[in-house]
């Protein structure tokens, strides 16, 4: 079967969605299909928000099936359109009142939000089926558009490489250093940790300078490492030998870090408002769900440090729960 | 803009429903009698008067039409008043479009429940919930009586619209309101009737929906889908255009207009200007 995977991308930005579409194309090819990725640039600001949807609308997509993923790729028209929804334009929906959204309460913003909801609903209703990457995304689709999506989980990147190592003396966080990932919480928690455990927060982003400044200001150089970008082989090693993983984003769509931690047999420390992360982290079973305060996170780190056997048990339970995720299964369900 | 060219070859006397449907078509397409001659994208006939071989016929059916008539089987499109369209949709092979005497709410735009909440907040109204009721001929907003002139705002901004009036229910559906009506009226109009409704009164059902944002959004979406399917002449003509276009004869309107129309884009939307501006950059100077 000839399958076109549709993905939208802000040029020069690569994140989870780009990894997932690339992996989906590879999985389709490995399952005997001819598959191509069609990428178009997109813009998120409200002045240009309808341009890319309209461009997708006009594309000639000659294939047996089209799998659309993120906003606004699902505006593609095809007689066999399957949507596997990564996310919509969150700034117009659940993030409309967030500081980072440009959708205010002015008339223009409200009309753009109204029209986008109508467009989204119409475009998504054309699909033969709507799958979502997580229950969180399905729940937003239900609350905002009144549409039903079926959750279809997939394995994270590096799933074949991640391995279980020792339960060492650091907690690990690989993440983009952006506000919605809340890396500053980890730095803020470390002065409250009494067990001598260190934190390694790897990744790049606009908060890098701010985090370095906080580490210096609070004299945490021996407690917090900010190594920046880490290549994949080093990432696997850091996962493998960590005591556990802290992943505490705000209302995450899915959260590869959680699944990667579990594949490395590590428990995950998170917070009650982390979104898709909570579909996997069960408090006291596969990790620890905190209130997100510095003291709460610190207590969770100390709890892992005080009972490494229990930490390992939680991590291995997580590993069992993600063991069934596979790309062939994703392909089979998308093209069923 | 290429408007549809529709020929009329219906036999007199024409009933009220068909007359209304033809009026709706005439407001949105180039309509003329077949006997006047010309080329047509489709010709509207009744089932008793089949068209010549090769004609793309749109057949009007009413409650008494014999659906086994050859003209119905050969039709490219079946046209009917909303209640009849609902009945025949599963009994004929051609696509069935609803068009009839219903009031057209051409300025209505669907406003989802969460956007309603934000608009209410922007207007300084209570943003959590606001229940509009039009029952026994009296309008109210959160139990405060309001004038009939508030109907449009109520349909556009209420968290939920409770009514026992068919016209108001259709108005609410046009604005994408979650409309709750007595069961008999809901069945008559084909409004969403979730299984949870059971024997609940309209007010009880409204309370249930207000407590469940996903159910509220689903209900609102179902109400607007009903309006688009059965009560929107604009949508019916767009669908007719699409059906005839996909049959390969009718040339759809140029450029961005059709995809924008099919997505429900208002005529004053900024994206139309932006798309038009892009096309302008490609046009040769005159």
């Amino acid at each position: 079967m000839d399958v076109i995977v549709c993905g939208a991308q802000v040029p020069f930005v690569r994140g989870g969605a780009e990894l997932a579409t690339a992996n989906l194309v590879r999985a389709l090819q490995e399952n005997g299909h001819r598959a191509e990725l069609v990428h178009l640039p997109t813009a998120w600001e409200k002045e240009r928000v309808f341009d890319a949807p309209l461009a997708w609308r006009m594309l000639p997509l000659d294939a047996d099936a089209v799998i659309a993923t993120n906003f606004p790729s699902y505006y593609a028209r095809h007689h066999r359109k399957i949507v596997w929804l990564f996310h919509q334009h969150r700034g117009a929906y659940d993030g409309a009142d967030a500081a980072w959204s440009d959708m205010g309460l002015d008339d223009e913003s409200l009309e753009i939000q109204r029209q986008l909801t109508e467009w989204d609903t119409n475009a998504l209703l054309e699909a033969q089926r709507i799958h979502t990457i997580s229950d969180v995304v399905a729940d937003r689709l239900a609350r905002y558009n009144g549409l039903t999506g079926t959750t279809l989980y997939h394995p994270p990147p590096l799933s074949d490489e991640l391995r279980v190592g020792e339960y060492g003396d650091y907690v690990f966080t690989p993440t983009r250093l952006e506000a919605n990932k809340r890396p500053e919480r980890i730095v803020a928690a470390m002065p409250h940790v009494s067990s001598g455990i260190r934190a390694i927060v790897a990744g790049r982003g606009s908060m890098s300078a701010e985090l370095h400044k906080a580490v210096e200001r609070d004299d945490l150089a021996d407690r917090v490492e900010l190594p920046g970008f880490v290549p994949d082989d080093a990432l696997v090693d850091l996962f493998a030998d960590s005591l556990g993983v802290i992943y505490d984003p705000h209302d995450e769509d899915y959260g590869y870090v959680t699944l990667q931690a579990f594949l490395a047999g590590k428990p995950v420390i998170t917070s009650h408002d982390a979104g898709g992360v909570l579909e996997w982290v069960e408090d006291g079973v596969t990790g620890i769900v905190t209130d997100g305060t510095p003291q709460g996170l610190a207590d969770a780190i100390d709890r892992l440090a005080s009972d490494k056997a229990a930490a390992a048990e939680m991590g291995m339970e997580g590993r069992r729960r993600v063991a069934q995720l596979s790309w062939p299964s994703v392909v089979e369900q998308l093209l069923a | 803009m290429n408007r549809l060219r529709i020929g009329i070859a219906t036999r007199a006397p024409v009933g009220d429903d068909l007359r209304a449907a033809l009026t709706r078509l005439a407001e949105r397409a180039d309509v003329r009698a077949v006997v006047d001659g010309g080329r047509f994208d489709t010709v509207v006939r009744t089932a008793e008067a089949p068209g010549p071989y090769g004609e793309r016929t749109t057949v009007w059916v009413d409650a008494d039409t014999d659906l086994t008539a050859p003209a119905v089987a050969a039709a490219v499109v079946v046209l009917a008043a909303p209640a009849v369209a609902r009945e025949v949709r599963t009994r004929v092979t051609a696509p069935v479009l609803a068009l009839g005497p219903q009031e057209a709410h051409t300025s209505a735009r669907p406003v989802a429940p969460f956007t309603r909440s934000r608009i209410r907040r922007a207007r300084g109204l209570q943003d959590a919930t606001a229940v509009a009721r039009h029952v026994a001929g009296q309008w109210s907003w959160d139990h405060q009586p309001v004038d009939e002139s508030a109907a449009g705002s109520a349909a556009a901004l209420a968290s939920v619209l409770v009514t026992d009036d068919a016209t108001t229910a259709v108005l609410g559906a046009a604005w994408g309101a979650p409309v709750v009506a007595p069961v008999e009226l809901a069945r008559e109009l084909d409004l969403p009737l979730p299984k949870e409704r059971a024997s609940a009164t309209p007010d009880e059902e409204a309370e249930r929906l207000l407590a469940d944002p996903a159910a509220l959004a689903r209900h609102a979406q179902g109400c607007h889908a009903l309006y688009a399917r059965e009560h929107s002449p604009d949508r019916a003509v767009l669908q007719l255009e699409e059906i005839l276009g996909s049959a390969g004869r009718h040339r759809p309107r140029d450029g961005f207009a059709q995809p924008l129309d099919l997505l429900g884009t208002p005529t004053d939307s900024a994206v139309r200007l932006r798309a038009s501006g892009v096309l302008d950059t490609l046009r040769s100077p005159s």
Side-chain angles (χ1 to χ4, degrees), chain A:
Chain A
M1 187 184 292
D2 288 354
V3 184
I4 291 175
V5 176
C6 301
Q9 183 187 10
V10 176
F12 313 113
V13 175
R14 278 182 68 80
E18 287 72 29
L19 290 168
T21 49
N23 285 335
L24 175 58
V25 168
R26 187 159 56 243
L28 286 160
Q29 291 166 342
E30 287 172 358
N31 279 266
H33 302 287
R34 291 205 308 173
E36 291 273 8
L37 178 60
V38 172
H39 252 164
L40 285 187
T42 194
W44 295 95
E45 67 273 21
K46 65 185 179 191
E47 288 77 13
R48 296 192 293 168
V49 73
F50 294 110
D51 293 7
L54 186 55
W56 279 103
R57 210 70 189 149
M58 304 296 287
L59 286 185
L61 296 172
D62 297 327
D64 298 316
V66 158
I67 299 174
T69 57
N70 52 357
F71 172 85
S73 70
Y74 47 77
Y75 282 86
R77 300 187 79 187
H78 195 273
H79 64 277
R80 190 177 177 194
K81 175 166 79 175
I82 299 132
V83 171
W84 187 30
L85 188 63
F86 294 0
H87 58 74
Q88 296 172 261
H89 187 306
R90 292 189 59 185
Y93 288 102
D94 58 299
D97 291 322
W100 50 266
S101 172
D102 62 356
M103 298 283 178
L105 289 175
D106 56 288
D107 285 355
E108 184 194 11
S109 291
L110 291 167
E111 172 56 16
I112 288 171
Q113 186 182 57
R114 186 209 66 75
Q115 188 178 320
L116 188 64
T117 307
E118 183 180 10
W119 274 34
D120 269 4
T121 303
N122 287 335
L124 290 164
L125 276 171
E126 295 167 350
Q128 280 190 349
R129 286 193 312 284
I130 304 175
H131 293 284
T132 60
I133 57 163
S134 66
D135 289 346
V136 164
V137 175
D139 180 60
R140 290 186 203 132
L141 186 65
R143 274 188 292 136
Y144 297 115
N145 300 87
L147 302 178
T148 302
T150 309
T151 299
L152 177 56
Y153 293 126
H154 64 287
L158 301 175
S159 57
D160 293 334
E161 284 80 25
L162 288 159
R163 58 183 170 74
V164 184
E166 302 299 317
Y167 290 82
D169 64 352
Y170 65 91
V171 285
F172 181 46
T173 304
T175 185
R176 282 186 292 116
L177 305 181
E178 302 295 345
N180 62 326
K181 304 296 183 185
R182 304 191 294 206
E184 77 283 2
R185 285 186 167 196
I186 300 166
V187 176
M190 292 313 290
H192 301 273
V193 174
S194 58
S195 55
I197 296 293
R198 295 176 298 123
I200 301 177
V201 183
R204 292 181 293 207
S206 63
M207 293 180 69
S208 179
E210 176 188 332
L211 293 171
H212 276 97
K213 208 174 287 177
V215 168
E216 193 179 321
R217 182 192 62 221
D218 297 336
D219 198 18
L220 291 170
D222 59 338
R223 309 290 305 277
V224 179
E225 279 181 48
L226 299 168
F229 171 77
V230 170
D232 284 352
D233 52 351
L235 198 67
V236 168
D237 290 343
L238 284 165
F239 266 118
D241 293 328
S242 66
L243 171 63
V245 166
I246 304 185
Y247 191 50
D248 191 23
H250 178 254
D251 204 15
E252 182 68 270
D253 298 326
Y254 188 39
Y256 282 148
V257 173
T258 316
L259 306 182
Q260 290 175 320
F262 286 174
L263 286 167
K266 306 302 173 186
V268 173
I269 296 170
T270 190
S271 295
H272 59 89
D273 58 353
V277 177
L278 299 170
E279 291 172 40
W280 299 97
V281 180
E282 187 178 350
D283 190 35
V285 180
T286 58
I288 301 173
V289 180
T290 74
D291 60 4
T293 61
Q295 189 64 56
L297 289 169
D299 289 348
I301 294 169
D302 285 336
R303 188 171 148 195
L304 295 186
S306 68
D307 189 348
K308 289 192 175 182
E313 200 173 307
M314 286 192 275
M316 295 310 286
E317 176 57 26
R319 187 174 162 86
R320 274 188 288 278
R321 293 189 182 190
V322 297
Q324 83 287 0
L325 299 180
S326 79
W327 278 108
S329 167
V330 170
V331 168
E332 187 183 337
Q333 291 182 69
L334 285 174
L335 298 180

Side-chain angles (χ1 to χ4, degrees), chain B residues 209-228:
Chain B
L209 290 174
L210 289 172
D212 182 346
L216 189 70
R218 188 165 56 245
H219 195 89
Q221 198 277 322
C223 288
H224 188 258
L226 162 71
Y227 176 78

Side-chain angles (χ1 to χ4, degrees), chain B residues 21-76:
Chain B
L22 295 177
T23 303
R24 300 291 186 216
L25 285 177
E27 289 164 353
R28 293 163 178 80
D30 292 331
V31 173
R32 67 170 69 173
V34 167
V35 294
D36 291 344
R39 292 176 57 239
F40 301 104
D41 296 308
T42 186
V43 174
V44 180
R45 297 180 182 275
T46 53
E48 302 80 36
Y53 176 76
E55 177 187 274
R56 292 192 307 161
T57 309
T58 294
V59 169
W60 171 265
V61 304
D62 55 32
D64 302 326
T65 301
D66 175 10
L67 297 179
T68 64
V72 177
V76 176

